[in-house]
């Protein structure tokens, strides 16, 4: 129903690699589902002036997952078209479709390192958090801001139901 309405839904790819086992193979659902925008994590370093100097897949003390795929024949575990034809996927370390026909996880990544993560207030106290559970709502917030700006600029029109939808991301 959400797909038919053009609603994007997402899930954190998981901080500790895959955890759900089927036939002896571990993977995270729903992050592996091609209908879900899977949000992973990076670790960012910045200069003293605040400019980003490096950003790498997050793997804090070896307990965080960096991405990959699961070799199962589940019907939902096929590489989606956007992962097969996109020119940016020709980057370093991304396997060819011929060598890995499975869904690659994650689709996108945001800062997830607790050492460089997000400042939040919990019970009136400032706390810094990380993890893909911080990265996923950050991605959702960014998409919401983008949609609001497109509506404000007149670039996004209401559909026949009067709803503004950017469409599936």
């Amino acid at each position: 129903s959400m797909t038919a309405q053009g609603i994007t839904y997402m899930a954190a790819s998981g901080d500790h690699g895959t955890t759900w086992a089927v036939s002896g193979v571990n993977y995270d659902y729903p992050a592996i589902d091609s209908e879900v925008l899977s949000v992973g994590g990076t670790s960012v370093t910045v200069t003293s002036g605040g400019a980003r100097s490096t950003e790498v897949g997050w793997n804090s003390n070896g307990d965080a997952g960096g991405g990959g795929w699961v070799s199962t024949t589940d019907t939902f575990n096929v590489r989606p078209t956007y992962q097969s034809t996109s020119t940016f996927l020709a980057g370093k370390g991304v396997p060819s479709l011929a060598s890995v026909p499975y869904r690659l996880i994650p689709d996108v990544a945001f800062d997830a390192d607790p050492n460089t993560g997000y400042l939040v207030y919990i019970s009136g106290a400032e706390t810094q958090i990380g993890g893909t559970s911080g990265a996923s709502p950050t991605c959702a917030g960014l998409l919401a801001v983008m949609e609001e700006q497109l509506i404000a600029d007149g670039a996004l029109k209401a559909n026949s139901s009067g709803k503004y939808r950017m469409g599936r991301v």
Side-chain angles (χ1 to χ4, degrees):
S1 169
M2 290 170 50
T3 299
Q5 295 177 50
I7 297 172
T8 297
Y9 38 101
M10 61 192 66
S13 65
D15 296 347
H16 303 284
T18 58
T19 58
W20 186 39
V22 173
S23 301
V25 178
N26 293 334
Y27 57 94
D28 278 340
Y29 189 87
I32 194 173
D33 192 319
S34 60
E35 293 294 315
V36 175
L37 180 64
S38 176
V39 182
T42 64
S43 183
V44 178
T45 56
V46 296
T47 66
S48 59
R52 181 178 59 183
S53 59
T54 64
E55 186 169 10
V56 297
W58 176 49
N59 192 353
S60 178
N61 298 322
D63 70 350
W69 62 90
V70 178
S71 303
T72 69
T73 57
D74 296 300
T75 57
F76 60 82
N77 189 27
V78 295
R79 192 167 322 176
T81 305
Y82 62 85
Q83 290 186 345
S84 302
T85 59
S86 202
T87 56
F88 67 85
L89 285 178
K92 182 179 179 181
V94 177
S96 70
L97 178 61
S99 65
V100 180
Y102 310 108
R103 169 147 165 79
L104 302 176
I105 302 170
D107 294 304
V108 297
F110 285 72
D111 186 12
D113 187 334
N115 297 312
T116 58
Y118 309 96
L119 293 177
V120 297
Y121 285 90
I122 300 174
S123 300
E126 186 178 277
T127 304
Q128 189 164 345
I129 65 164
T132 59
S133 294
S136 187
T138 299
C139 181
L142 176 65
L143 291 176
V145 169
M146 286 174 33
E147 189 171 65
E148 286 177 356
Q149 189 62 54
L150 288 169
I151 293 168
D153 292 345
L156 188 60
K157 306 295 182 199
N159 64 20
S160 61
S161 300
K163 307 279 186 191
Y164 291 89
R165 298 273 193 248
M166 197 165 43
R168 299 278 322 285
V169 175

